[in-house]
Every structure is written in C-alpha cells, then in structure tokens.
Amino acid sequence: MLPSPPFSARLLLLSLLLLFCNGVHSKSKSPSSPVSPKIGQGYRLISVKQTPDGALLGRLQVKQPNKIYGPDIPYLQLFVKHETNDRLRVHITDAEKQRWEVPYNLLPREQPPVSKQTIGKSTENSITGSEYVGSKLLFSYKSNPFSFVVKRKSNGEILFDSSCSESDPYSSLVFKDQYLEISTKLPEEASLYGLGENTQPHGIKLYPNEPYTLYTTDVSAINLNMDLYGSHPVYMDLRNEGGKASAHAVLLLNSNGMDVFYRGKSLTYKIIGGVLDFYFFSGPSPLDVVQQYTSLIGKPAPMPYWAFGFHQCRWGYHNLSVVEDVVENYKKAKIPLDVIWNDDDHMEGHKDFTLNPVNYPRQKLLAFLDKIHSIGMKYIVIIDPGIAVNSSYGVHQRGMEKDVFIKYEGEPYLAQVWPGAVNFPDYLNPQTVSWWIDEVHRFHELVPVDGLWIDMNEASNFCSGLCKIPKGKKCPSGTGPGWICCLDCKNITKTRWDDPPYKINASGLQVPIGFKTIATSAVHYNGVLEYDAHSLYGFSQSIATHKALLSLEGKRPFILSRSTFVGSGKYAAHWTGDNKGTWNDLKYSIPTMLNFGIFGVPMVGSDICGFYPAPTEELCNRWIELGAFYPFSRDHANFYSPRQELYQWESVAKSARNALGMRYKLLPYLYTLNYEAHNTGAPIARPLFFSFPDLKECYNVSTQFLLGSSVLVSPVLDKAKTKVSAMFPPGTWYSLFDMRQTIVVKEVQSLSLPAPLHVINVHLYQNTILPMQQGGLISKEARKTPFTFIVAFPADESKGEAKGTLFLDDDERPEINLGDGLSTYIELYATVSNGSVKVWSAVQESKFALEKGWIVEKLIVLGLDASKLANSLEINGEAVAEGSGIEFYALEQSYQLDKLEDGGDKRKTAMVEVKGLSLAVGKNFEVSWKMG
C-alpha cells in the first residue's frame, strides 16, 4: 500500500493536472492581453490638511458612481506621510468605515488616523500647495480627478504617477468594496523585478504582458507565470540615465488576491479587497532598496551555522533504518551532510506531532538522534497545518477544547489533506498560538527535533466547498492517491466572498478563489474573513512556529515554510516548492532564488535534482554543482521517483564532493553574509546588478549570480555542455577552484569557460578579502579548522586595496549580534603599493574568538607582480626569522583573457601564499612583506 504523499501540490492536484497539461503553457490565458474598459471617472480631492505630526490627511469623493464590480465607496480618506528619510507612505481607505488591512500585530507599523475622525470637511491647517516634500522623496497631487506623483527630490525623476489620460489602457482610481484599481505610468526602459511568487521563464526581469497574479496557491512551481505559494506585492524599479543607475521600490501592502498588469509603459493593480497602502523606498542603490524595505517588514531571521550545511530529504524514507543508511552512505561517499529530514514517513497516519510506532519506534529514533547530535548533525521533520479530525487524537481534541479552528457557519471548517478529514488552525487567534506552542513543546519532548518544516500552508485542501465526512466509506480509502477528494462536498457560491464580482486569474485559469483551499466565506478570529486573510495563512503560521521554537530551549529557530508573505523572512527560510527534474527547472531556480532575496527572504533554495520525476545522471551532476551555492542547499525527492541521494551515482558523488567541498570551505563567508542579511537585509544570493548597478548588461542576467558582493557563480544549465558562457563585469576575477586562473576584463565581456562534467566556475572579484576554512564532512567539524584569508588585488594595477569581514558567534543563541561576549566581528584590510604588501585586521569583541582558539594558518594574496620575489616578512612589526616554520610560496598566474594594454609586454601576476602562520583570529594582526 502506498502512503499518501506529504508534499503539498506535489504531483499537482489531480483535478488541476489535466487542465494544466492541456495547454496552459502553450497558450496565453493572460488577462493582460485585452485592453480593459475604463471603470469610472475616479475621485476628486475635496479637502486636505496637515496633521500635527506633519502628515497629510485628505478626503476624496467619487466623481461618477457606477455599478461595475459593485458600487463605488463614496468617500475615501487619503493619508500621506514621510515615515523616514527614505520611505514615503500613501494610504487610501474608506473614509466612513474601517476596512480590512494586514493586521498591525502581524506586521508592526504605524497606524493611520482612524478614518471616521476625518468625516468632516474641516480646512483647519489646510495646505495651499500641491507638493509635500521629504528628505529624499516628493509627493504631489492633482485634485480633479485625483492623482498623485512620487518623485525623487534630488532630480525630479518621476517614480510613480497615478494619473490617467483618455488614451491610457487603464482607469483612474477605482475604489469599491471588492474591486480596487490604480495604475502608474512607467518609462519603457525601466527594469522591474519582484511581484512573486512566480516561476518566470524569461529570467529575473518582469516581462511585459505576462500575468502576475498574487494569491497564495498550492500549485506546483513547474507552472509558469502563475500565482504560486507566496504573495509579495512589491517590485524594484531599476533605471539607468547616462550610465548612472538609480533604483527604488514600491510595496502595495495588501493581502487580498490581485492581478498586476505590467505593460512595459504602465503597471495596473486590480485588487479584490482591502485598502491601498503604498510604501515607496527611495534607494538609490539596489542594496539600499532592500535595506529600506526590510527596515519596514522586518530584517531576515538569523540562521544557525549548521543550516548552511547540506541537507538531505526524501518523501519515502519508510522506516528509520532507511534514514540511518542514508546518513551512513553519505559518510562512506565522503559527501558533506549536516541535516537529515523526514517528510511525513515518521508520522502515524500522516498526523502532525505523532510517531509511527512500527516504522519509527521512539526509543530507536532517540538513540539515532543521540548518535547524530553527538557529531553535530541535525534532524528536521515536516508538519502541515491540517489537523486530523479524530476523536482519539489528542492534538485535535485539545484544539477543539480551546476553540482554535477556522469556522464556517459556527462549526470548524472541514477540509481534506494527507490524513483525511482535517480542521485548520486559525493563527490569527491568540488562543491558537498558545495551543500551537504547547503542541510543539509536547512533540519536542517526544522527539527532540532541531527545526520544523511547515508545508501545505497556502492553505492547501484536496477538496473545495462545504464538506462532510462521508458515512459508510473510509476516507481516504488507503488504496488510491491521497490527494483525491473523498469527502462529500458541495460548492459554496451563495456569498459575494465565494464568488466575487471580479475574477483574479487564480491558478492561471481564473478558477474560483476558494478552489482547493479554505472557503473564502469561512471565518477567522474576530470575524475576519478567509477572503481577506487567505494569503496571510503561511505567514501567520510561521510567526506562531517561530514563537514555539524560540520558547523551547532558547535556541535559534530554524523554520522552512512553503507559503510566504511580506515579512516572512523575519521568521522563516523558504524552498521554491515542487519542481521537476528538468533542465528548464534547473534554470528557473535562479530567478526565483534571486527574487526571494529582494523579498527579504535570503535563506532560499530549490529541491536539488528536482522533486519529480527522476532526473538524469547528467542533470543531477549539474544541479548539485549549482545547488551547492544556493543559500539553502537541500536534495529532496518524491516518493514515486527513484532514489536520488547524491551517492546514488559515482559521477554525481564526485561533483558533490567538489562543489560541496567548496561550499564547506566558504561556510565562514556564508555565515557572515547571514549576519549581514539580519542587520541590513542584504540578500545572500544576489543578481549581478546589485554589485554593478550601472551596467545595463547585468540587468537581466539570470544564469549567474553573486554570493554577497564578490563571489560569482556561473553554472552549466544545459544538457551535454562542457563549456559555459559567463558574463564578467570589468575588473579582475580569480577562479576559486584554481586561483592561478585569472580573468581580467576592461569592459563587460561574455566569455566561454571550460566546464567539464564535474566542474562549476566560481570566481572571486578584486578588492575582496574572503575568509575560508579547510572544510569537512559536517559544519561542526569544518568550523574548527584553521582559517585561510584570500586577498584579491586587481591584477593589472601597481596599487590596490582589498577588504572583507568575518562574523563568528555561538550560533545556538537566538540573537545574532555583538556586545554580549558571545560573538566576534573582524574587519579585514589589505593594501599593495610600490611593492609593499600589508594585510591586517581590526577585531571587535575579541573574547569569543579567543576562547574558541581559532587561528589564521594561511594568507593567499592574488594579483601580485610576478617579476618580483616576496621577502622581508614581518608579523606585527617584527621580522620573521629563518626556522620559524613560516614560508612563502609563489605561483605564477595565467590569464584566460588578457585585455591589458595592446602591444608591449604583458605584466605577469603571481599568487603568493604565506603558510605556517598561527595568528589568533580574535587578536588584531598585521602581516607585511616586500615584493622586490
């Protein structure tokens, strides 16, 4: 008997599968293609005043009401405020009734004035001009019909313009109960990014006239241009004027379903509820934008060190002995492994917080966990939000007692997921959060897991409508696919919530918005409708799960969530859902990963080798080479696919040892990027334009990416290729796998690089100091090895400088910061000038690193003059005597492309190693020598 698959839309919900296979990919179902008729004449501004704290408060009146998609709301409140130097908020809502908004307790932010306070047409503190000026941004408006413009104060550049002319293919402002529309003009040359979650076949840039629908849906990531698991209504706009770039971002904070129509010259939002709550972030660099965005929505959660190791998962580890064999086989194959996962195979009857007593007997599982915990390995299991309806199941019984479930007509809403009939916890209810924390505590006492994987939380439902448990038949039967609905269900169409007047392009097919999820007329705590809160479900579960794990042992939580919303990165990591073992899916993984960095969820990756069906051996080779450099690196496979652990093929094992070997050497760098992400929001994996924003050639590079600002990953993404075409911005790039190999370009170049089956090209940019260790098979051991600092100078310069940073801490503690003696931060510097080389450090909070005893054993300096020998070594101002055990070692470097001066001798460069050092990482040091 096959168990029901625990993987979200893992094989595509069967009822959608036929529809998708019948041509969703081959024909445009996009509602963006036809020009929509105009809906109304907009609003006029009838009063505006300044509040005591300097904001604008205005009142709008509809100009010409109509009944298209329902009656217009007659009066609106306009609230505009420069909340920070680089953030402007424009909030528009009903002036006479409170409307649904993203709850302020879920996403903390300033609350606008309560709308009923502004019903009167007071002109007190009236303002006479039509401009409202902040430090970086300027807001201006026209009164009739009302429209607004957001500009840069510095140069008057228009970032957002909501005005509408007769020739525009969109309407003026429309604000009805279940239909909101607003648009902005755009310069055609603007490059836009974001608006996810969406698998984008054209790369990371938004593509005109493709549909961008935002509504959390359990639909496999193999489906292109479709609303997937997360909702992130934010875009970054990158422009370039005369070779100088500027970026800004626009967030529409709204959890209701929406279609976003990007036409190249304009962008239109069509939303089925809520309010218009815009935030504008001034940038001007892409990194500035993400820092400003995450300052509002929450900085990304710090991840434990071990989370940057390699993870192995599979749906179908039928019993504990299989899991034990997997761990042992990774060890035998000498492939690094930090975390072993269980999909729902460990559960009894697919029920959360349970153990199968036959296949995963508790005492044997505890013994296994003791064994792997002793060497630093970790164990993570899945939990789904659907709680099985079962009179002997304590989790459900306690939930019923505490009244924690979403309701329909006063009774817990009934759905079906893997265990059969389920109820869904309502995480908007404080009582539910307390119950959930208690259930996580109970489970942790049963099984001391190291993190939780929350899946199916869009929320996914194998049925639709109002359902009952059938009488006289078993559901599920246990003989067929577990994702076939076996409850007795009827459609719910009697309310305007279940059948709204405007149909978003849900699932790419304009299916009813309650299809295969919770009925949208179901009710949450305090009368909140699922219609409004739907896309917040996974976000609210992440917050509750984070609280639960944080309260366990005071350790840093690790949570992997499939469904995400604005702010999810503060609590959870993300994987990109159910992908396929195809070359196209390998390609798509890069833009999706890069988008999540922009969304403030930097810990992200795709299922390596694909979730289903079986990958080819060659594809799995190339996927682990790429996946070794995802921020979150996990192999995960489907029950129905053949086994695809990395040791299953010797060729894949070789590629894994090579690529993961480099990853484990780079763990100090990745962990330092984790610290930077938590403090500044900076993505771990970044598009090239983050480091090279002025270069238009980088704006749609979707086959390469940067780790941090300086490590360039250029994978093979096509079948039967042994070379890769890689773009290199100007400067010097050094191969990390062979640092003698140097690429020097004076202008942007696309180069063909050798890439045999077991090779991935990874390059380090000039002006960087990269901290590395010696690697190992598990992060705990790799972390104890001596450090090597790689100093990359420009190869064709007689003078140069380089910088880097290193953050070290006790990664089990919840916070990731300085100041409590449990962390150390090191700034690294290097210069070369007139043949003199100097490398030094500046240590903050030295205590932690000194107690750990970390040392720097080696310096590798790249790009030095090969015609001169290294001599006169000094450490901390003292000459190093012969016999000290410290030695110089120099190798001449070779150019794969040399674009130095035409004619004459080309300057040769050398890689110089200083070996045998024993410098305390926690102490300031200075190492210098002459090249003479």
Side-chain angles (χ1 to χ4, degrees), residues 57-342:
L57 200 57
R59 185 175 172 86
L60 307 173
Q61 183 180 31
V62 69
K63 288 188 66 179
Q64 191 173 325
N66 64 60
K67 300 290 186 182
I68 304 171
Y69 302 138
D72 296 273
I73 292 176
Y75 292 99
L76 303 178
Q77 173 182 282
L78 169 71
F79 174 73
V80 187
K81 187 174 184 182
H82 293 283
E83 292 190 334
T84 69
N85 287 340
D86 42 43
R87 182 172 85 226
L88 169 71
R89 185 181 189 184
V90 178
H91 182 279
I92 303 173
T93 188
D94 189 332
E96 299 176 351
K97 282 190 210 166
Q98 190 167 352
R99 287 181 63 79
W100 164 258
E101 299 188 47
V102 175
Y104 284 79
N105 62 330
L106 281 190
L107 192 64
R109 59 204 189 279
E110 183 180 341
Q111 295 206 38
V114 177
S115 56
K116 61 185 176 186
Q117 294 175 348
T118 65
I119 289 175
K121 299 183 182 179
S122 167
T123 55
E124 180 187 352
N125 298 327
S126 287
I127 61 170
T128 53
S130 62
E131 288 192 345
Y132 174 48
V133 183
S135 298
K136 303 283 180 62
L137 297 174
L138 181 153
F139 174 89
S140 64
Y141 60 87
K142 291 180 181 175
S143 297
N144 191 10
F146 171 75
S147 66
F148 68 89
V149 170
V150 178
K151 299 179 183 178
R152 282 195 194 282
K153 182 180 174 184
S154 59
N155 59 8
E157 180 184 24
I158 295 174
L159 308 185
F160 194 94
D161 178 0
S162 75
S163 65
C164 170
S165 65
E166 284 298 318
S167 60
D168 290 324
Y170 49 82
S171 303
S172 291
L173 171 65
V174 180
F175 206 117
K176 300 168 186 281
D177 191 29
Q178 289 183 266
Y179 181 81
L180 286 63
E181 181 181 331
I182 192 169
S183 301
T184 179
K185 293 176 167 61
L186 290 167
E188 202 162 10
E189 67 276 9
S191 296
L192 268 58
Y193 310 88
L195 295 180
E197 185 174 359
N198 187 311
T199 300
Q200 297 174 195
H202 300 290
I204 186 174
K205 267 177 69 171
L206 297 188
Y207 197 78
N209 299 318
E210 293 284 21
Y212 295 95
T213 298
L214 280 68
Y215 189 73
T216 61
T217 307
D218 176 7
V219 170
S220 168
I222 70 170
N223 294 286
L224 309 181
N225 297 318
M226 196 176 296
D227 48 316
L228 298 180
Y229 313 109
S231 176
H232 295 271
V234 61
Y235 68 86
M236 180 187 292
D237 182 336
L238 179 61
R239 303 178 188 179
N240 191 307
E241 187 68 42
K244 183 66 178 172
S246 63
H248 68 276
V250 179
L251 165 67
L252 172 58
L253 188 58
N254 183 302
S255 63
N256 290 82
M258 67 180 80
D259 288 327
V260 186
F261 299 94
Y262 172 48
R263 302 178 186 86
K265 291 184 178 180
S266 65
L267 185 142
T268 298
Y269 299 89
K270 297 188 175 188
I271 315 135
I272 60 172
V275 302
L276 297 175
D277 193 4
F278 282 105
Y279 291 86
F280 300 92
F281 306 91
S282 65
S285 76
L287 271 177
D288 290 336
V289 166
V290 178
Q291 180 166 359
Q292 293 155 13
Y293 179 57
T294 54
S295 291
L296 172 71
I297 68 167
K299 290 289 189 282
M303 297 290 152
Y305 200 91
W306 53 262
F308 290 93
F310 181 69
H311 303 243
Q312 177 61 50
C313 183
R314 177 180 173 80
W315 161 44
Y317 288 150
H318 300 302
N319 56 49
L320 180 59
S321 63
V322 178
V323 176
E324 291 172 320
D325 285 346
V326 170
V327 172
E328 188 59 31
N329 284 327
Y330 266 94
K331 183 179 177 182
K332 284 180 184 173
K334 294 184 167 50
I335 300 171
L337 179 65
D338 257 76
V339 190
I340 187 73
W341 294 57
N342 264 128

Side-chain angles (χ1 to χ4, degrees), residues 738-858:
D738 181 357
M739 284 177 265
R740 295 169 300 172
Q741 299 297 321
T742 309
I743 290 173
V744 180
V745 292
K746 293 294 186 184
E747 55 192 34
V748 178
Q749 295 269 332
S750 285
L751 305 175
S752 179
L753 305 179
L757 186 61
H758 306 299
V759 170
I760 180 169
N761 282 275
V762 182
H763 289 83
L764 177 65
Y765 192 52
Q766 66 184 35
N767 309 124
T768 304
I769 301 178
L770 183 68
M772 295 176 72
Q773 286 175 283
Q774 293 177 359
L777 296 182
I778 192 165
S779 64
K780 182 179 179 180
E781 295 305 317
R783 204 176 182 199
K784 296 175 183 176
T785 60
F787 279 87
T788 296
F789 292 155
I790 316 291
V791 180
F793 288 129
D796 54 349
E797 304 287 344
S798 59
K799 291 185 177 182
E801 62 178 33
K803 295 179 181 177
T805 57
L806 174 62
F807 177 79
L808 303 159
D809 77 341
D810 173 3
D811 73 312
E812 292 290 290
R813 69 197 182 104
E815 296 301 319
I816 184 167
N817 53 25
L818 289 167
D820 56 8
L822 294 174
S823 57
T824 297
Y825 186 72
I826 300 120
E827 294 173 321
L828 301 167
Y829 302 94
T831 57
V832 58
S833 179
N834 300 319
S836 295
V837 180
K838 184 168 78 167
V839 184
W840 72 100
S841 70
V843 179
Q844 298 177 41
E845 303 286 336
S846 63
K847 178 175 176 286
F848 178 74
L850 289 174
E851 287 176 350
K852 291 294 183 183
W854 280 303
I855 64 162
V856 183
E857 192 270 336
K858 186 190 297 184

